[in-house]
Amino acid sequence: MRLLERIKSRLRRHLWKAINKEAFEEDFIRILPDTQKDAARFLFYGNATAEEKRIAKLIEANRSQIIATAKELHSFSSPHSGTFKKDAKGHATAGPYTSSPAKAVAMTGVKKKGGILIKRITTGLGARRILELGTHTGFSGCYFLTCPQVEQLVTVEGSKDLCEIADRNLRRISNKFIIMNMLFDDAIDQLSHNREKFDCVFIDGQHEREATWHYMKRVMPLLNDGGSIIFDDIYWSDDMNQLWKEICNSLDFSVTLDLQSKGVAILRSGEEAKVHYDICEYVGRSRIFRKGW
Ligand SMILES: C[S@@+](CC[C@H](N)C(=O)[O-])C[C@H]1O[C@@H](n2cnc3c(N)ncnc32)[C@H](O)[C@@H]1O
């Protein structure tokens, strides 16, 4: 059944793209900021360059290594919607800390397509210092580290098991990273105390509406002027999709861009008018993965 659904969805997307190719170029790409055209074109055409394919091959080769080195690994799973709680310090309570087979863990996080997409988004944004909430085994981090302009990646992960794997994984690509093995709120406290600044924050953990809104508000002061936040999994659940709609309506941002699974929001720096771009009108909208989760 799942296979049939996947085939139907793929066919629907191919057909949708074929019908919309002209409109995509003339109505969408024409008005999209130049900085995000490469990312949008990649989603529409899947046109990875030879260099991107080489990088993706190098990064992906490490998944089998992870499976070979461990049996079970711990991570914080995303809590159900409506279960958001804060402690006395105002910190969000993390989701359940559970263990899963290494094989399942290795398959979590961005794959080749998502990796090239975040690489193009952040390269377009010119982000030199990136903060990531949710390191996992370091695959998204590997893609960030291959962006030519990136000077440093600071990535936060609560699971010690995963930090050790991520450290080995990221080190194969570059040494321009710091892993903070702690809960997101503790890391944000530390970064705020040290007055650290970033050009871009990737929020990819604790996928629940109120938790994501909480972390979004907390990382905003860490952003440089015109900085941006990339939200992962905006079609993961009804709850996460509702959050994305609220972000699109929020006056905190001057630009919001729906790139299917990823939402990009650029911080407002003055009185500029709000603009929203939605690629799903041209490539087809993702189905909500876990209804009502
Ligand atoms: C979806 S995975 C990140 C995937 C990764 N960005 C990638 O694409 O390769 C989310 C990670 O966030 C971590 N996490 C979730 N909630 C957390 C919290 N409150 N504090 C620290 N880590 C957390 C989980 O343990 C998990 O490894």
Side-chain angles (χ1 to χ4, degrees), residues 63 74-79 92-98 105 108-111 115 118 132-144 155-160 162-163 169 180-187 202-207 211 215 232-233 262:
R63 285 198 202 267
H74 283 88
S75 68
F76 287 92
S77 39
S78 286
T93 307
Y97 193 51
T98 52
V105 171
T108 303
V110 296
K111 315 283 178 321
I118 56 171
E132 175 179 56
L133 299 187
T135 316
H136 202 66
T137 47
F139 281 99
S140 46
C142 285
Y143 284 94
F144 286 132
T155 179
V156 185
E157 172 56 56
S159 158
K160 189 168 179 289
L162 296 183
C163 286
N169 200 5
M180 300 176 81
N181 181 196
M182 55 183 81
L183 292 176
F184 295 160
D185 271 312
D186 293 328
F202 181 47
I203 303 186
D204 187 16
Q206 208 168 334
H207 291 318
Y215 295 124
D232 200 20
D233 290 319
K262 305 199 177 7

Side-chain angles (χ1 to χ4, degrees), residues 249-261:
N249 286 324
S250 161
L251 291 176
D252 287 323
F253 304 104
S254 56
V255 177
T256 44
L257 168 61
D258 186 322
L259 288 173
Q260 282 192 320
S261 64

Side-chain angles (χ1 to χ4, degrees), residues 19 28 30 37 40 61 98 155 164 193 204 209 237 252:
I19 295 168
F28 184 74
R30 186 175 55 80
K37 285 183 180 167
T98 52
T155 179
E164 283 166 9
H193 181 260
D204 187 16
R209 180 173 143 254
S237 62
D252 287 323

Side-chain angles (χ1 to χ4, degrees), residues 234-249:
I234 57 174
Y235 288 88
W236 193 66
S237 62
D238 290 330
D239 185 65
M240 281 298 287
N241 194 241
Q242 181 57 37
L243 164 89
W244 173 239
K245 288 175 183 153
E246 284 160 13
I247 291 166
C248 294
N249 286 324

Side-chain angles (χ1 to χ4, degrees), residues 59 138-147 153 169-170 172-173:
I59 293 173
F139 281 99
S140 46
C142 285
Y143 284 94
F144 286 132
L145 287 174
T146 62
C147 297
L153 167 74
N169 200 5
L170 292 164
R172 290 162 65 239
I173 306 297

